[in-house]
Amino acid sequence: MILTVTLNTALDVTYTVDALVPHSSHRVGEVTERPGGKGLNVARVLGALGHDCVVTGFAGGPTGDVLRSLLAPLPPRDALVPVAGNTRRTLAVTDRSTGDTTQLNEPGPQVSPAEWAAFLRTYEELAAGAVAVALCGSLPPGIHVGAYAELVRIARAAAVPVLLDTSGEPLRRGIAARPDLVKPNAEELARLTGSREPLRAARDARRRGAHSVIASLGPEGVLAVTPDGVWRAAPPAPVRGNPTGAGDSAVAGLLSALAEGLDWPQRLARAVALSTATVLAPTAGDFDAAAYAELLPRVTVEPHTPTP
């Protein structure tokens, strides 16, 4: 079983319009609602890949009820912890004329100390039976900034590989707890390390405690700095579409390949193919299965040699 943690779950709402024009009214062509938040997106992709997956985190209020009802028929198993506050929504507006997406993210519910303690009990029990753990996304109000560091230490104490995918101070503190893998994007790495050169920044992140660093470079693929070597992986060509959830699909690719015992080049190829296929999908958090199958053998994975 793979465990994904989403402390700040969301109900993802996607609107599709012919063209998004500021300061004007729009007729929405399509509306979709999905259970969201980074870890739930990861779990949904893992389920589509055939992996047994459990999701935990927080859900509450009317929006949380809708989220859980949408999650119920999906492969990931629901182990979300209830909170008194209302789960947030995220709104994505997709412009058909350009393929671009504009996203609005609400804040999450306030989490009390008692609710955090209840979550920790659930997390410790689930982590003990997991083959891998993913800690994903932002922290809702009320959760201390070192929360991910605490969760990393619990997973490591249970000898379970743990992946951390967050940003800012939670990432800085989480890395110090020595996660097995972190997956920041180039901007998050730059904020963490002060360097905008991805290889230098990724190596700095390893020195800060991360065992392996997979730096997302957007349409250019990923850079992996690991104890076994440094690789660049890239899709065969840039694509346009809805990038929502692309990074989460990359995390699912890394976790699924780890659970299957694949080597680093195979893990990276799967991550890049899945993230690219997600950009091509019409709905946030989905991936285009046909595109994924076509892309996977065409992803370029090469040992990375820095330019002198």
Side-chain angles (χ1 to χ4, degrees):
M1 176 268 284
I2 298 174
L3 175 64
T4 72
V5 175
T6 312
L7 297 177
N8 209 8
T9 57
L11 179 65
D12 288 342
V13 182
T14 302
Y15 289 167
T16 302
V17 298
D18 290 333
L20 183 61
V21 181
H23 315 299
S24 65
S25 297
H26 296 78
R27 187 173 296 278
V28 177
E30 299 173 30
V31 181
T32 60
E33 292 183 335
R34 295 290 175 92
K38 294 178 72 64
L40 266 68
N41 290 339
V42 171
R44 191 162 55 241
V45 175
L46 286 168
L49 293 172
H51 284 269
D52 180 27
C53 190
V54 174
V55 297
T56 191
F58 297 107
T63 305
D65 291 342
V66 173
L67 183 152
R68 299 186 84 162
S69 69
L70 293 171
L71 184 62
L74 299 179
R77 288 180 281 147
D78 178 357
L80 296 169
V81 175
V83 291
N86 195 35
T87 294
R88 68 189 179 124
R89 295 168 297 176
T90 67
L91 176 63
V93 183
T94 299
D95 184 328
R96 281 200 187 97
S97 66
T98 63
D100 292 334
T101 297
T102 299
Q103 187 141 339
L104 304 173
N105 298 330
E106 296 179 353
Q110 183 79 22
V111 177
S112 72
E115 290 164 342
W116 174 246
F119 166 78
L120 284 178
R121 290 191 294 271
T122 297
Y123 174 74
E124 289 184 14
E125 180 179 341
L126 291 170
V131 298
V133 171
L135 309 174
C136 304
S138 60
L139 300 177
I143 299 297
H144 65 95
V145 74
Y148 280 134
E150 183 176 0
L151 300 184
V152 168
R153 287 191 289 268
I154 291 170
R156 287 182 58 81
V160 178
V162 57
L163 181 152
L164 177 61
D165 185 15
T166 188
S167 60
E169 191 62 20
L171 174 61
R172 186 183 308 277
R173 299 204 186 187
I175 278 183
R178 307 188 68 81
D180 296 271
L181 179 61
V182 294
K183 196 211 68 64
N185 61 36
E187 183 60 34
E188 289 163 350
L189 260 184
R191 289 199 298 267
L192 174 71
T193 66
S195 173
R196 292 198 167 271
E197 201 289 303
L199 180 58
R200 181 178 302 135
R203 284 175 167 161
D204 187 352
R206 283 203 70 219
R207 286 191 292 269
R208 291 166 184 257
H211 192 63
S212 298
V213 179
I214 310 302
S216 174
L217 306 178
E220 297 177 11
V222 299
L223 170 69
V225 180
T226 81
D228 302 318
V230 179
W231 288 273
R232 283 289 300 267
V239 298
R240 292 193 64 135
N242 184 350
T244 303
D248 305 329
S249 290
V251 169
L254 293 168
L255 283 174
S256 62
L258 171 66
E260 294 169 27
L262 303 183
D263 61 21
W264 273 112
Q266 292 172 300
R267 294 181 201 180
L268 300 173
R270 182 176 292 185
V272 169
L274 278 170
S275 62
T276 306
T278 299
V279 173
L280 295 169
T283 304
D286 279 346
F287 71 93
D288 185 317
Y292 167 63
E294 191 271 334
L295 284 163
L296 183 59
R298 299 174 58 214
V299 173
T300 301
V301 184
E302 297 177 338
H304 181 62
T305 303
T307 303

